[in-house]
Amino acid sequence: MKLLALSLAAVSLLALACGSGDSTVFDAGDGSIGPSDGGPSFGDGALGGDGGADASDGNCGPNLTGTVRDFSIAGSTWHPDFEHFLGDDPGIVAQTLGTDFKPVYANAGGTTPTTTGKADFDQWYRDVPGVNDSFPFQIVLTQNGNGTSTYDNPNFFPIDNQGWGNQGQPHNFGFTFELHTTFVYKGAETCTFTAADDLWTFVNGHLAIDLGGVHGAESQSLDLDAQAATLGIVKGTQYPLDIFTAERHTTQSDIRIDTDIAFDNCTPIVH
């Protein structure tokens, strides 16, 4: 299956001015927008980074370093959400991101067609000893020269032979990826995500793309102007954009993103 159009590759996005963490806003779903409590951290030295020019000069390329978590798909350590299901499954996650910047399982007391419940899902994007192993992973978008950038990787296998290993498969097919970035909403930005399996994108803490499920390549597009009211965004303000993907079934893993959004975090954001 596929992940999201993001992985190690290509060249730098646009070299754009970095905002400060102080201006980042996050609407936790209560209708109010204000500075985020414990919001995005512009690098704490945990991952390092080479986002281009130093942040202090106000002109750097974005550093899109996220976290890959490996899960077992075989034997006694087999995670029940991986290599067990097929099918589209929108609605796995709630409409607003949790205050810890993680997706919230929508059906807290039950399951969905391709997931086995809240306790298992909550392991997807959190470090859990004995369940998953985590690895930093940086993706780079390719500038197209027309104001847009693309990441297109038909073989997204960032952790082959790492973590639980390939477990008898030609690649490591059981993993998740999360990426946290920021941008200043200028107006008229769009982006299109293509992924298989799961992909969710949150803007300002609100779900904007839902490609949940174990499926072939599917696409959704985001028009920031059209969804501005729903997302609670206003022009000239910096907002978080958070992406979560999962590769949960064998045979293929690819991902694509096309966008004219100018991501601006100079150093990795880790939650």
Side-chain angles (χ1 to χ4, degrees), residues 10 30 37 40 58 87 100 112 125 135 138 142-143 146 150 161 178 194 202 207 213 223 235 261 264:
D30 60 1
D37 295 331
D100 60 353
T112 76
Y125 303 107
F135 306 87
Q138 184 176 17
T142 301
Q143 186 176 342
N146 60 355
T150 295
N161 300 306
E178 69 173 297
T194 301
F202 293 81
L207 183 63
D223 183 324
K235 294 176 184 176
I261 292 176
D264 63 5

Side-chain angles (χ1 to χ4, degrees), residues 31-100:
S32 62
I33 299 175
S36 58
D37 295 331
S41 168
F42 289 86
D44 58 4
L47 297 178
D50 57 354
D54 184 80
S56 62
D57 67 8
N59 186 21
C60 70
N63 189 312
L64 303 181
T65 299
T67 302
V68 176
R69 289 180 177 85
D70 184 36
F71 292 82
S72 176
I73 60 170
S76 62
T77 55
W78 195 337
H79 193 283
D81 287 339
F82 290 76
E83 201 64 27
H84 277 126
F85 304 102
L86 289 173
D88 290 343
D89 197 3
I92 294 174
V93 301
Q95 293 295 307
T96 54
L97 207 58
T99 56
D100 60 353

